[in-house]
Each structure stands twice: as C-alpha cells, then as structure tokens.
Amino acid sequence: MNVLVVLAIILFVLMALIGGGKGIRSFVALFLNFGVLLLTIIIMSIPTINPLIPTLMACTVISCINLFYINEVNRKTKTAFLSTMITIVLLLFFIIMVTEKAKIQGFGEEETEEISAFSLYVGVDFVKVAACMIIMSAIGSIIDVAISIASPINEIYRHNPSISRKALFTSGLKIGRDILGTDTNTLFFAFFGSYLGLLIWFKDLSYTFGEIINSNVFSAEIINILCAGIGVALIIPITAWITSYSLVKQERKSKGIRK
C-alpha cells in the first residue's frame, strides 16, 4: 500500500478517535482546502485574470470551509468569518505596497537553473502573485486566531450576560496576547522548516552571509514571515471588537434598548 495512503488512514483514524464528528469534518476539510488551492493556482496562471481576484475568492471559500463546515454556522463562526475577511483585505493592501517596494517578485538568481528550460514570459503579474502567496500562507493562521478569540469571548458572555462591551473587548485582547506569541512562533517555525532546504542550497552555492541576507529568495521568505505575523497581530483586536460589539448589540436589541 502506498505510504501516502497509509499516512492518510492513520491521520483519519486519529482525528476520528480524538475529534469525533468534528475530527472527521476537519479531515475532509483538508482535501477540500487542497482542491481550492489547486483550482486557484490553475486560475492564477491565466494571464488575462488578475491573481488577486481568485486569491480573495479562495480565502473566502477556505474561511467558509474551516469555520462553517468544521464548526457549523453559529454566532462565533459568523464573527470570526467577518473578522477574517476584514483582516485579509487590509493585509492585502499592505502586502501589495510591501512587495512593490521590496522588489521580491519573480524568480531569484538561484532558481534560474531549475526553470531555464521554461519560458519566463508567461504573462503573469508577479508583484500580485507574490502578494497572493503571502496571503495564502497566512490565511490558516488568521482563521485559527479569529476562532480562538471569538469562541472564548462568546463563552465569557454566555456565563456573564451583564458584562459591558468594553470589558468583553479587553478580555478578547488579553486572550489574544496569550496566543499571539505562540502563533507567530508557529508561523516562524513553519516557514523556517521549508527554509532549511534553501539553507543547504546556499551552502552548496558557497554563499556568504551577506549574499544570503541580500538574496531575493531569502528576502521573500523573511517578508512572508513578517507579513503573516502582522496579519495574526491585526486579527486579534478586529475579532475582539466585532465579537464584543455583536454580542452586546444583539442583547440590547432583544431587550428593546436602542443605545
């Protein structure tokens, strides 16, 4: 039996045993997300299509799968989804500016040997593609933080419905501070894991430290990490505010209070 199939079966059994129904939905979501990413890459390679449009659509579909399909449609997933979309749009504008300034788009000198057999005139805007790559790299962490903030705020409000909007927002920020450090480190190690192969490549090419720091590939990786970290930091206050505002507003509306 193929190793991939065996690993997939082991993962499915573990997720089903530990996570129950939600674990099985999470397993199915992995394949759905893979399908969305594959379809997005195919669409992005069409020269007449702006890569940002399929990327935003993919982020929306991935957010729906990870929030509504896995955790079902409820108050906390709705606020987490809205927060994710707002953060993605804000981050996208920021990343476009950064990629244009940093000039990290396109292929690095180190990659020319691998792609020398192909035509480089593919008619795709690589500034936008670079921005799309960073967004797609960060979407998982942003969704994770959004639901991690929205869920405990809902629990706090459920146990203490008289709590003020400001107190809810402050609680959300405190929760966010606790997960900010671990989540940014997770991002760093995830990127660094893929970067290990690149370090070996640099060693084979006898690069100096200065050449590594100034290489296009290295700069692109570091900018990926920093922009994803900024997205994770942004989602915390946005989710805390939207969730606390939504909960208190809904309560006041049910009681007929206008302000």
mmCIF file of all heavy atoms in Angstrom, residues 140-184:
data_model
loop_
_atom_site.group_PDB
_atom_site.id
_atom_site.type_symbol
_atom_site.label_atom_id
_atom_site.label_comp_id
_atom_site.label_asym_id
_atom_site.label_seq_id
_atom_site.Cartn_x
_atom_site.Cartn_y
_atom_site.Cartn_z
ATOM 1 N N GLY A 140 -4.436 30.417 6.993
ATOM 2 C CA GLY A 140 -4.706 29.392 8.003
ATOM 3 C C GLY A 140 -4.540 29.928 9.417
ATOM 4 O O GLY A 140 -5.399 29.712 10.284
ATOM 5 N N SER A 141 -3.433 30.648 9.657
ATOM 6 C CA SER A 141 -3.172 31.195 10.994
ATOM 7 C C SER A 141 -4.192 32.257 11.358
ATOM 8 O O SER A 141 -4.630 32.347 12.517
ATOM 9 C CB SER A 141 -1.766 31.794 11.042
ATOM 10 O OG SER A 141 -0.817 30.808 10.826
ATOM 11 N N ILE A 142 -4.584 33.079 10.387
ATOM 12 C CA ILE A 142 -5.545 34.148 10.658
ATOM 13 C C ILE A 142 -6.907 33.560 11.058
ATOM 14 O O ILE A 142 -7.532 34.013 12.026
ATOM 15 C CB ILE A 142 -5.668 35.068 9.422
ATOM 16 C CG1 ILE A 142 -4.383 35.896 9.274
ATOM 17 C CG2 ILE A 142 -6.878 35.991 9.529
ATOM 18 C CD1 ILE A 142 -4.300 36.691 8.002
ATOM 19 N N ILE A 143 -7.354 32.540 10.334
ATOM 20 C CA ILE A 143 -8.622 31.879 10.692
ATOM 21 C C ILE A 143 -8.523 31.248 12.079
ATOM 22 O O ILE A 143 -9.442 31.353 12.895
ATOM 23 C CB ILE A 143 -8.978 30.802 9.645
ATOM 24 C CG1 ILE A 143 -9.261 31.443 8.286
ATOM 25 C CG2 ILE A 143 -10.196 29.994 10.090
ATOM 26 C CD1 ILE A 143 -9.394 30.446 7.150
ATOM 27 N N ASP A 144 -7.386 30.612 12.349
ATOM 28 C CA ASP A 144 -7.177 29.947 13.634
ATOM 29 C C ASP A 144 -7.271 30.943 14.791
ATOM 30 O O ASP A 144 -7.942 30.696 15.808
ATOM 31 C CB ASP A 144 -5.800 29.275 13.609
ATOM 32 C CG ASP A 144 -5.541 28.492 14.876
ATOM 33 O OD1 ASP A 144 -6.469 27.801 15.331
ATOM 34 O OD2 ASP A 144 -4.423 28.548 15.410
ATOM 35 N N VAL A 145 -6.612 32.093 14.641
ATOM 36 C CA VAL A 145 -6.641 33.103 15.705
ATOM 37 C C VAL A 145 -8.050 33.694 15.835
ATOM 38 O O VAL A 145 -8.533 33.933 16.952
ATOM 39 C CB VAL A 145 -5.611 34.221 15.426
ATOM 40 C CG1 VAL A 145 -5.732 35.344 16.443
ATOM 41 C CG2 VAL A 145 -4.200 33.652 15.452
ATOM 42 N N ALA A 146 -8.732 33.908 14.705
ATOM 43 C CA ALA A 146 -10.075 34.504 14.749
ATOM 44 C C ALA A 146 -11.038 33.651 15.566
ATOM 45 O O ALA A 146 -11.742 34.157 16.449
ATOM 46 C CB ALA A 146 -10.605 34.686 13.321
ATOM 47 N N ILE A 147 -11.057 32.346 15.317
ATOM 48 C CA ILE A 147 -11.975 31.472 16.065
ATOM 49 C C ILE A 147 -11.490 31.294 17.505
ATOM 50 O O ILE A 147 -12.306 31.118 18.425
ATOM 51 C CB ILE A 147 -12.143 30.108 15.344
ATOM 52 C CG1 ILE A 147 -13.331 29.319 15.929
ATOM 53 C CG2 ILE A 147 -10.902 29.295 15.384
ATOM 54 C CD1 ILE A 147 -14.662 29.930 15.671
ATOM 55 N N SER A 148 -10.169 31.384 17.713
ATOM 56 C CA SER A 148 -9.622 31.260 19.079
ATOM 57 C C SER A 148 -9.986 32.462 19.939
ATOM 58 O O SER A 148 -10.009 32.368 21.173
ATOM 59 C CB SER A 148 -8.091 31.123 19.034
ATOM 60 O OG SER A 148 -7.722 29.985 18.321
ATOM 61 N N ILE A 149 -10.251 33.607 19.327
ATOM 62 C CA ILE A 149 -10.654 34.804 20.077
ATOM 63 C C ILE A 149 -12.180 34.821 20.222
ATOM 64 O O ILE A 149 -12.709 35.084 21.317
ATOM 65 C CB ILE A 149 -10.200 36.090 19.334
ATOM 66 C CG1 ILE A 149 -8.684 36.122 19.169
ATOM 67 C CG2 ILE A 149 -10.700 37.336 20.063
ATOM 68 C CD1 ILE A 149 -7.922 36.412 20.401
ATOM 69 N N ALA A 150 -12.888 34.544 19.123
ATOM 70 C CA ALA A 150 -14.357 34.642 19.130
ATOM 71 C C ALA A 150 -14.989 33.626 20.079
ATOM 72 O O ALA A 150 -15.961 33.947 20.779
ATOM 73 C CB ALA A 150 -14.895 34.450 17.711
ATOM 74 N N SER A 151 -14.445 32.421 20.114
ATOM 75 C CA SER A 151 -15.043 31.359 20.938
ATOM 76 C C SER A 151 -15.001 31.674 22.440
ATOM 77 O O SER A 151 -16.049 31.618 23.100
ATOM 78 C CB SER A 151 -14.340 30.032 20.633
ATOM 79 O OG SER A 151 -14.954 28.999 21.318
ATOM 80 N N PRO A 152 -13.839 32.019 23.014
ATOM 81 C CA PRO A 152 -13.847 32.330 24.457
ATOM 82 C C PRO A 152 -14.639 33.584 24.799
ATOM 83 O O PRO A 152 -15.237 33.653 25.890
ATOM 84 C CB PRO A 152 -12.359 32.508 24.795
ATOM 85 C CG PRO A 152 -11.648 32.639 23.514
ATOM 86 C CD PRO A 152 -12.473 31.982 22.479
ATOM 87 N N ILE A 153 -14.671 34.586 23.902
ATOM 88 C CA ILE A 153 -15.493 35.789 24.188
ATOM 89 C C ILE A 153 -16.968 35.393 24.285
ATOM 90 O O ILE A 153 -17.698 35.869 25.157
ATOM 91 C CB ILE A 153 -15.279 36.866 23.105
ATOM 92 C CG1 ILE A 153 -13.876 37.458 23.212
ATOM 93 C CG2 ILE A 153 -16.302 37.981 23.251
ATOM 94 C CD1 ILE A 153 -13.567 38.527 22.187
ATOM 95 N N ASN A 154 -17.411 34.506 23.400
ATOM 96 C CA ASN A 154 -18.796 34.023 23.468
ATOM 97 C C ASN A 154 -19.064 33.290 24.778
ATOM 98 O O ASN A 154 -20.134 33.436 25.373
ATOM 99 C CB ASN A 154 -19.079 33.093 22.282
ATOM 100 C CG ASN A 154 -19.561 33.839 21.059
ATOM 101 O OD1 ASN A 154 -20.749 34.056 20.889
ATOM 102 N ND2 ASN A 154 -18.636 34.281 20.223
ATOM 103 N N GLU A 155 -18.081 32.501 25.221
ATOM 104 C CA GLU A 155 -18.237 31.769 26.477
ATOM 105 C C GLU A 155 -18.312 32.729 27.662
ATOM 106 O O GLU A 155 -19.114 32.547 28.572
ATOM 107 C CB GLU A 155 -17.063 30.793 26.670
ATOM 108 C CG GLU A 155 -17.169 29.548 25.831
ATOM 109 C CD GLU A 155 -18.435 28.757 26.113
ATOM 110 O OE1 GLU A 155 -18.722 28.458 27.285
ATOM 111 O OE2 GLU A 155 -19.167 28.458 25.145
ATOM 112 N N ILE A 156 -17.446 33.748 27.638
ATOM 113 C CA ILE A 156 -17.454 34.743 28.724
ATOM 114 C C ILE A 156 -18.822 35.424 28.782
ATOM 115 O O ILE A 156 -19.413 35.596 29.852
ATOM 116 C CB ILE A 156 -16.332 35.792 28.505
ATOM 117 C CG1 ILE A 156 -14.961 35.158 28.676
ATOM 118 C CG2 ILE A 156 -16.490 36.969 29.462
ATOM 119 C CD1 ILE A 156 -13.808 36.048 28.222
ATOM 120 N N TYR A 157 -19.334 35.781 27.607
ATOM 121 C CA TYR A 157 -20.623 36.479 27.564
ATOM 122 C C TYR A 157 -21.773 35.558 27.981
ATOM 123 O O TYR A 157 -22.732 35.987 28.637
ATOM 124 C CB TYR A 157 -20.871 37.008 26.147
ATOM 125 C CG TYR A 157 -22.094 37.864 26.051
ATOM 126 C CD1 TYR A 157 -22.097 39.168 26.555
ATOM 127 C CD2 TYR A 157 -23.259 37.375 25.485
ATOM 128 C CE1 TYR A 157 -23.231 39.955 26.494
ATOM 129 C CE2 TYR A 157 -24.393 38.150 25.414
ATOM 130 C CZ TYR A 157 -24.378 39.442 25.916
ATOM 131 O OH TYR A 157 -25.511 40.208 25.856
ATOM 132 N N ARG A 158 -21.670 34.276 27.620
ATOM 133 C CA ARG A 158 -22.738 33.317 27.976
ATOM 134 C C ARG A 158 -22.836 33.145 29.488
ATOM 135 O O ARG A 158 -23.925 33.020 30.044
ATOM 136 C CB ARG A 158 -22.441 31.967 27.317
ATOM 137 C CG ARG A 158 -23.610 30.992 27.349
ATOM 138 C CD ARG A 158 -23.375 29.865 26.375
ATOM 139 N NE ARG A 158 -22.273 29.009 26.785
ATOM 140 C CZ ARG A 158 -22.388 27.985 27.646
ATOM 141 N NH1 ARG A 158 -23.554 27.697 28.160
ATOM 142 N NH2 ARG A 158 -21.343 27.249 27.950
ATOM 143 N N HIS A 159 -21.692 33.167 30.165
ATOM 144 C CA HIS A 159 -21.698 32.998 31.623
ATOM 145 C C HIS A 159 -21.928 34.311 32.360
ATOM 146 O O HIS A 159 -22.257 34.298 33.551
ATOM 147 C CB HIS A 159 -20.368 32.380 32.077
ATOM 148 C CG HIS A 159 -20.209 30.958 31.641
ATOM 149 N ND1 HIS A 159 -20.922 29.915 32.202
ATOM 150 C CD2 HIS A 159 -19.447 30.399 30.667
ATOM 151 C CE1 HIS A 159 -20.604 28.781 31.604
ATOM 152 N NE2 HIS A 159 -19.704 29.044 30.658
ATOM 153 N N ASN A 160 -21.712 35.431 31.680
ATOM 154 C CA ASN A 160 -21.900 36.743 32.320
ATOM 155 C C ASN A 160 -22.534 37.722 31.326
ATOM 156 O O ASN A 160 -21.864 38.602 30.778
ATOM 157 C CB ASN A 160 -20.540 37.268 32.803
ATOM 158 C CG ASN A 160 -20.680 38.549 33.588
ATOM 159 O OD1 ASN A 160 -21.787 38.951 33.984
ATOM 160 N ND2 ASN A 160 -19.558 39.234 33.805
ATOM 161 N N PRO A 161 -23.860 37.579 31.079
ATOM 162 C CA PRO A 161 -24.527 38.416 30.061
ATOM 163 C C PRO A 161 -24.553 39.911 30.398
ATOM 164 O O PRO A 161 -24.790 40.731 29.518
ATOM 165 C CB PRO A 161 -25.963 37.856 30.042
ATOM 166 C CG PRO A 161 -25.885 36.529 30.706
ATOM 167 C CD PRO A 161 -24.767 36.596 31.675
ATOM 168 N N SER A 162 -24.327 40.258 31.671
ATOM 169 C CA SER A 162 -24.369 41.673 32.054
ATOM 170 C C SER A 162 -23.028 42.374 31.832
ATOM 171 O O SER A 162 -22.898 43.571 32.108
ATOM 172 C CB SER A 162 -24.772 41.799 33.531
ATOM 173 O OG SER A 162 -23.832 41.113 34.331
ATOM 174 N N ILE A 163 -22.047 41.679 31.347
ATOM 175 C CA ILE A 163 -20.714 42.265 31.144
ATOM 176 C C ILE A 163 -20.776 43.363 30.071
ATOM 177 O O ILE A 163 -21.556 43.260 29.108
ATOM 178 C CB ILE A 163 -19.695 41.164 30.740
ATOM 179 C CG1 ILE A 163 -18.269 41.709 30.774
ATOM 180 C CG2 ILE A 163 -20.028 40.593 29.383
ATOM 181 C CD1 ILE A 163 -17.207 40.628 30.593
ATOM 182 N N SER A 164 -19.986 44.416 30.232
ATOM 183 C CA SER A 164 -20.020 45.532 29.283
ATOM 184 C C SER A 164 -19.241 45.198 28.013
ATOM 185 O O SER A 164 -18.407 44.271 28.005
ATOM 186 C CB SER A 164 -19.419 46.785 29.926
ATOM 187 O OG SER A 164 -18.035 46.592 30.127
ATOM 188 N N ARG A 165 -19.504 45.992 26.974
ATOM 189 C CA ARG A 165 -18.801 45.795 25.697
ATOM 190 C C ARG A 165 -17.298 46.020 25.856
ATOM 191 O O ARG A 165 -16.491 45.264 25.304
ATOM 192 C CB ARG A 165 -19.376 46.767 24.670
ATOM 193 C CG ARG A 165 -18.793 46.597 23.274
ATOM 194 C CD ARG A 165 -19.348 47.645 22.337
ATOM 195 N NE ARG A 165 -20.779 47.498 22.192
ATOM 196 C CZ ARG A 165 -21.566 48.433 21.666
ATOM 197 N NH1 ARG A 165 -21.055 49.577 21.270
ATOM 198 N NH2 ARG A 165 -22.867 48.230 21.554
ATOM 199 N N LYS A 166 -16.948 47.037 26.639
ATOM 200 C CA LYS A 166 -15.534 47.353 26.845
ATOM 201 C C LYS A 166 -14.809 46.213 27.569
ATOM 202 O O LYS A 166 -13.687 45.842 27.213
ATOM 203 C CB LYS A 166 -15.406 48.652 27.648
ATOM 204 C CG LYS A 166 -13.981 49.141 27.796
ATOM 205 C CD LYS A 166 -13.924 50.428 28.574
ATOM 206 C CE LYS A 166 -12.470 50.869 28.762
ATOM 207 N NZ LYS A 166 -12.389 52.105 29.577
ATOM 208 N N ALA A 167 -15.494 45.656 28.581
ATOM 209 C CA ALA A 167 -14.884 44.550 29.337
ATOM 210 C C ALA A 167 -14.713 43.321 28.447
ATOM 211 O O ALA A 167 -13.702 42.607 28.544
ATOM 212 C CB ALA A 167 -15.748 44.215 30.550
ATOM 213 N N LEU A 168 -15.689 43.083 27.570
ATOM 214 C CA LEU A 168 -15.570 41.955 26.633
ATOM 215 C C LEU A 168 -14.395 42.149 25.684
ATOM 216 O O LEU A 168 -13.620 41.223 25.425
ATOM 217 C CB LEU A 168 -16.861 41.837 25.813
ATOM 218 C CG LEU A 168 -17.955 40.887 26.306
ATOM 219 C CD1 LEU A 168 -19.121 40.912 25.328
ATOM 220 C CD2 LEU A 168 -17.432 39.473 26.453
ATOM 221 N N PHE A 169 -14.290 43.387 25.170
ATOM 222 C CA PHE A 169 -13.199 43.706 24.237
ATOM 223 C C PHE A 169 -11.840 43.526 24.924
ATOM 224 O O PHE A 169 -10.909 42.940 24.355
ATOM 225 C CB PHE A 169 -13.360 45.144 23.737
ATOM 226 C CG PHE A 169 -12.243 45.618 22.864
ATOM 227 C CD1 PHE A 169 -12.079 45.100 21.582
ATOM 228 C CD2 PHE A 169 -11.345 46.575 23.308
ATOM 229 C CE1 PHE A 169 -11.036 45.529 20.765
ATOM 230 C CE2 PHE A 169 -10.309 47.007 22.505
ATOM 231 C CZ PHE A 169 -10.153 46.488 21.226
ATOM 232 N N THR A 170 -11.751 44.011 26.166
ATOM 233 C CA THR A 170 -10.494 43.886 26.919
ATOM 234 C C THR A 170 -10.150 42.415 27.154
ATOM 235 O O THR A 170 -8.984 42.010 27.047
ATOM 236 C CB THR A 170 -10.614 44.618 28.275
ATOM 237 O OG1 THR A 170 -11.048 45.958 28.037
ATOM 238 C CG2 THR A 170 -9.303 44.655 29.006
ATOM 239 N N SER A 171 -11.171 41.618 27.466
ATOM 240 C CA SER A 171 -10.932 40.179 27.668
ATOM 241 C C SER A 171 -10.418 39.536 26.386
ATOM 242 O O SER A 171 -9.513 38.689 26.420
ATOM 243 C CB SER A 171 -12.234 39.487 28.098
ATOM 244 O OG SER A 171 -12.715 40.038 29.285
ATOM 245 N N GLY A 172 -11.005 39.935 25.243
ATOM 246 C CA GLY A 172 -10.554 39.403 23.960
ATOM 247 C C GLY A 172 -9.106 39.756 23.684
ATOM 248 O O GLY A 172 -8.330 38.921 23.181
ATOM 249 N N LEU A 173 -8.728 40.986 24.017
ATOM 250 C CA LEU A 173 -7.334 41.396 23.805
ATOM 251 C C LEU A 173 -6.381 40.590 24.684
ATOM 252 O O LEU A 173 -5.292 40.201 24.248
ATOM 253 C CB LEU A 173 -7.185 42.890 24.118
ATOM 254 C CG LEU A 173 -7.727 43.881 23.089
ATOM 255 C CD1 LEU A 173 -7.396 45.305 23.520
ATOM 256 C CD2 LEU A 173 -7.133 43.626 21.702
ATOM 257 N N LYS A 174 -6.810 40.345 25.938
ATOM 258 C CA LYS A 174 -5.951 39.572 26.851
ATOM 259 C C LYS A 174 -5.769 38.145 26.341
ATOM 260 O O LYS A 174 -4.675 37.581 26.396
ATOM 261 C CB LYS A 174 -6.568 39.560 28.257
ATOM 262 C CG LYS A 174 -6.424 40.886 28.991
ATOM 263 C CD LYS A 174 -7.039 40.831 30.368
ATOM 264 C CE LYS A 174 -6.874 42.168 31.080
ATOM 265 N NZ LYS A 174 -7.574 42.190 32.384
ATOM 266 N N ILE A 175 -6.856 37.562 25.847
ATOM 267 C CA ILE A 175 -6.759 36.209 25.271
ATOM 268 C C ILE A 175 -5.818 36.232 24.060
ATOM 269 O O ILE A 175 -4.985 35.354 23.867
ATOM 270 C CB ILE A 175 -8.154 35.691 24.857
ATOM 271 C CG1 ILE A 175 -9.041 35.543 26.088
ATOM 272 C CG2 ILE A 175 -8.059 34.366 24.115
ATOM 273 C CD1 ILE A 175 -10.513 35.418 25.771
ATOM 274 N N GLY A 176 -5.973 37.281 23.245
ATOM 275 C CA GLY A 176 -5.146 37.418 22.048
ATOM 276 C C GLY A 176 -3.675 37.550 22.370
ATOM 277 O O GLY A 176 -2.819 36.985 21.674
ATOM 278 N N ARG A 177 -3.366 38.291 23.461
ATOM 279 C CA ARG A 177 -1.955 38.449 23.850
ATOM 280 C C ARG A 177 -1.336 37.111 24.210
ATOM 281 O O ARG A 177 -0.152 36.875 23.955
ATOM 282 C CB ARG A 177 -1.857 39.417 25.036
ATOM 283 C CG ARG A 177 -2.062 40.868 24.637
ATOM 284 C CD ARG A 177 -2.056 41.785 25.836
ATOM 285 N NE ARG A 177 -2.562 43.099 25.475
ATOM 286 C CZ ARG A 177 -3.380 43.823 26.226
ATOM 287 N NH1 ARG A 177 -3.781 43.352 27.394
ATOM 288 N NH2 ARG A 177 -3.785 44.998 25.829
ATOM 289 N N ASP A 178 -2.155 36.237 24.827
ATOM 290 C CA ASP A 178 -1.631 34.925 25.227
ATOM 291 C C ASP A 178 -1.306 34.051 24.027
ATOM 292 O O ASP A 178 -0.375 33.247 24.078
ATOM 293 C CB ASP A 178 -2.668 34.202 26.116
ATOM 294 C CG ASP A 178 -2.773 34.849 27.481
ATOM 295 O OD1 ASP A 178 -1.805 35.521 27.881
ATOM 296 O OD2 ASP A 178 -3.819 34.707 28.134
ATOM 297 N N ILE A 179 -2.103 34.178 22.953
ATOM 298 C CA ILE A 179 -1.872 33.292 21.803
ATOM 299 C C ILE A 179 -1.015 33.944 20.723
ATOM 300 O O ILE A 179 -0.564 33.261 19.805
ATOM 301 C CB ILE A 179 -3.206 32.812 21.190
ATOM 302 C CG1 ILE A 179 -4.031 33.992 20.657
ATOM 303 C CG2 ILE A 179 -4.009 32.020 22.177
ATOM 304 C CD1 ILE A 179 -5.290 33.562 19.948
ATOM 305 N N LEU A 180 -0.788 35.261 20.843
ATOM 306 C CA LEU A 180 -0.013 35.965 19.809
ATOM 307 C C LEU A 180 1.410 35.420 19.694
ATOM 308 O O LEU A 180 1.900 35.136 18.596
ATOM 309 C CB LEU A 180 0.009 37.468 20.114
ATOM 310 C CG LEU A 180 0.812 38.344 19.144
ATOM 311 C CD1 LEU A 180 0.225 38.276 17.740
ATOM 312 C CD2 LEU A 180 0.844 39.793 19.630
ATOM 313 N N GLY A 181 2.071 35.278 20.860
ATOM 314 C CA GLY A 181 3.462 34.826 20.861
ATOM 315 C C GLY A 181 3.602 33.432 20.277
ATOM 316 O O GLY A 181 4.465 33.179 19.425
ATOM 317 N N THR A 182 2.735 32.507 20.729
ATOM 318 C CA THR A 182 2.851 31.125 20.251
ATOM 319 C C THR A 182 2.501 31.018 18.769
ATOM 320 O O THR A 182 3.124 30.256 18.029
ATOM 321 C CB THR A 182 1.919 30.198 21.060
ATOM 322 O OG1 THR A 182 0.597 30.733 21.015
ATOM 323 C CG2 THR A 182 2.370 30.082 22.494
ATOM 324 N N ASP A 183 1.511 31.794 18.336
ATOM 325 C CA ASP A 183 1.095 31.692 16.934
ATOM 326 C C ASP A 183 2.143 32.273 15.980
ATOM 327 O O ASP A 183 2.390 31.710 14.905
ATOM 328 C CB ASP A 183 -0.241 32.417 16.740
ATOM 329 C CG ASP A 183 -1.168 31.619 15.861
ATOM 330 O OD1 ASP A 183 -1.843 30.732 16.387
ATOM 331 O OD2 ASP A 183 -1.183 31.877 14.647
ATOM 332 N N THR A 184 2.741 33.401 16.353
ATOM 333 C CA THR A 184 3.784 33.968 15.488
ATOM 334 C C THR A 184 5.004 33.042 15.432
ATOM 335 O O THR A 184 5.660 32.908 14.397
ATOM 336 C CB THR A 184 4.219 35.368 15.970
ATOM 337 O OG1 THR A 184 4.438 35.330 17.372
ATOM 338 C CG2 THR A 184 3.184 36.411 15.649
#
